[in-house]
Amino acid sequence: MAKESWKEHGYVDDPVGVADIKGAIAGLKKSRNAVIMAHYYQDGDIQDVADYVGDSLALAQRAARTDADVIVMCGVNFMGETAKILCPDKVVIVPDLNAGCSLADSCDAAALQRMKDEHPGHTVISYVNTSARVKALTDIVVTSGNAVEIVGSLPRDEKIIFGPDRNLGSYINRVTGREMLLWDGACHVHDRFSLDSLKQLKREHPAATVLAHPECRALLLDEADVIGSTAALLRYVSSHGDGEYIVATEPGILHEMRRRCPSARYYTPLAEGRLSGLNVCEYMKMATLPKVYMALLHGWPAVEVDPDVAALAVKSIDRMLMMSAELGL
Ligand code: 13P
Ligand code: SF4
């Protein structure tokens, strides 16, 4: 929007031109009693203005216990929906509602219902990267930070449908020895890391530790030294310190890795078929400082979830939070 239009709409100033936009955000945050939460895949400047930066599990846990009136969720829509389901009386804002998720989009609620009908007697476990409607059809939500432990804690003979990430599902089957039925979905970022590029990096940096997110394909996970959620990969870097790391996950995480361990060296594999560039999630990069400022100024765009859907979805999210607490996660 041109600066003149900002003024026509009654705004005090064009936020892009606000010299101290971080200061302006801090002021609005205080006056609105708002909390800013950000995922590790967000741009560094968003992570820097956030009160709390975390993985999907920690963001849900924090949202569930915040006493702020407004939650600005700098992530993608399913994260805002999860927060809204947990905190229906709060205003939950995602700075740009176009921030979808290819993985969540790969699982449609009607098709999941058909799969459930075809496989009666199965417990449905869904990754948090799903729509509220899919969560409403789910028995237990999981994140990459608790999926292995939650599945592992269920009786061995429990029949399970797991969705939507086939890579995470195969990984869980492998480490828990289960045979869950898998939904055939994937994240377009993690699914396209190039094996050749990863191997090339390993040849160039033989001392480097390979860190990989379980949304990557099994071929890449087979090359990894450490497999874990964004929080788990960060914990590994914090506890092992300086060195070299090949990081197979969305590169927004490098901001926090560099903050925790500035003198370590980090390399990220390319996307399949690409000769250069970072393999980024464009949805995660939709939040910008001006959008956060405008969101706080106007309490918009607010996330809404159909109350009937939310009433069902909250059960599967609560079950995850309870099981995580019991498992000490
Ligand atoms: P985690 O933060 O749970 O590792 O999630 C990764 C992710 O893909 C979020 O979009
Ligand atoms: Fe979805 Fe993948 Fe982006 Fe995460 S990185 S928000 S799973 S598209």
Side-chain angles (χ1 to χ4, degrees):
M1 197 184 289
K3 195 157 189 165
E4 295 64 38
S5 325
W6 287 106
K7 290 191 175 154
E8 272 165 34
H9 283 79
Y11 302 145
V12 177
D13 204 344
D14 171 359
V16 180
V18 170
D20 178 19
I21 193 157
K22 291 187 177 175
I25 288 171
L28 278 174
K29 197 176 67 174
K30 201 162 171 212
S31 65
R32 304 285 194 260
N33 187 27
V35 63
I36 301 179
M37 299 190 186
H39 189 269
Y40 291 123
Y41 295 163
Q42 292 285 295
D43 271 336
D45 52 3
I46 297 287
Q47 295 189 42
D48 291 343
V49 297
D51 300 286
Y52 187 73
V53 186
D55 67 349
S56 308
L57 174 60
L59 293 175
Q61 288 168 327
R62 281 287 169 133
R65 59 174 197 261
T66 184
D67 52 14
D69 296 318
V70 177
I71 299 172
V72 182
M73 184 60 79
C74 298
V76 292
N77 283 343
F78 75 78
M79 295 175 176
E81 275 189 353
T82 304
K84 183 68 183 177
I85 292 165
L86 288 168
C87 315
D89 300 332
K90 296 186 190 301
V91 175
V92 178
I93 304 168
V94 170
D96 187 331
L97 287 181
N98 294 310
C101 166
S102 55
L103 179 52
D105 288 348
S106 69
C107 186
D108 163 69
L112 177 61
Q113 182 60 61
R114 281 197 296 279
M115 187 172 182
K116 283 180 67 165
D117 294 343
E118 283 161 18
H119 301 282
H122 282 64
T123 299
V124 178
I125 301 188
S126 295
Y127 197 28
V128 70
N129 299 44
T130 43
S131 67
R133 285 187 186 280
V134 165
K135 289 186 177 78
L137 297 174
T138 294
D139 297 300
I140 315 172
V141 167
V142 295
T143 74
S144 52
N146 59 21
V148 167
E149 291 81 359
I150 286 183
V151 171
S153 74
L154 298 175
R156 281 208 77 83
D157 57 353
E158 187 148 343
K159 292 193 261 175
I160 300 171
I161 292 174
F162 181 90
D165 193 291
R166 58 173 177 259
N167 296 330
L168 176 64
S170 313
Y171 171 69
I172 299 169
N173 273 345
R174 190 142 52 107
V175 297
T176 64
R178 311 282 161 137
E179 290 181 2
M180 302 186 297
L181 295 180
L182 304 183
W183 187 268
D184 190 16
C187 155
H188 73 298
V189 177
H190 289 88
D191 206 47
R192 75 182 170 195
F193 276 116
S194 152
L195 180 61
D196 287 345
S197 170
L198 177 63
K199 285 186 169 170
Q200 171 77 21
L201 285 172
K202 284 179 79 165
R203 281 193 294 276
E204 288 167 7
H205 309 284
T209 304
V210 179
L211 310 175
H213 195 281
E215 288 174 27
C216 293
R217 290 172 295 153
L219 286 168
L220 280 100
L221 297 183
D222 287 345
E223 299 289 327
D225 301 302
V226 183
I227 299 169
S229 69
T230 48
L233 301 182
L234 279 157
R235 276 196 299 276
Y236 186 90
V237 169
S238 303
S239 60
H240 289 76
D242 286 349
E244 292 184 288
Y245 298 99
I246 298 170
V247 186
T249 192
E250 212 281 342
I253 197 172
L254 299 182
H255 182 72
E256 180 63 14
M257 286 185 173
R258 290 195 177 108
R259 196 186 67 75
R260 293 187 191 189
C261 212
S263 47
R265 271 165 294 157
Y266 304 97
Y267 316 100
T268 57
L270 298 172
E272 206 71 77
R274 298 284 294 275
L275 298 175
S276 66
L278 294 171
N279 185 15
V280 299
C281 173
E282 56 276 45
Y283 302 117
M284 279 284 180
K285 308 306 181 203
M286 284 182 174
T288 61
L289 289 179
K291 286 181 196 168
V292 171
Y293 173 89
M294 296 306 287
L296 280 164
L297 191 62
H298 297 291
W300 183 91
V303 176
E304 296 301 341
V305 180
D306 179 314
D308 294 336
V309 173
L312 290 170
V314 75
K315 293 184 190 165
S316 57
I317 302 172
D318 276 345
R319 193 142 174 226
M320 167 183 82
L321 294 175
M322 262 172 44
M323 291 180 84
S324 289
E326 282 164 15
L327 292 162
L329 302 167

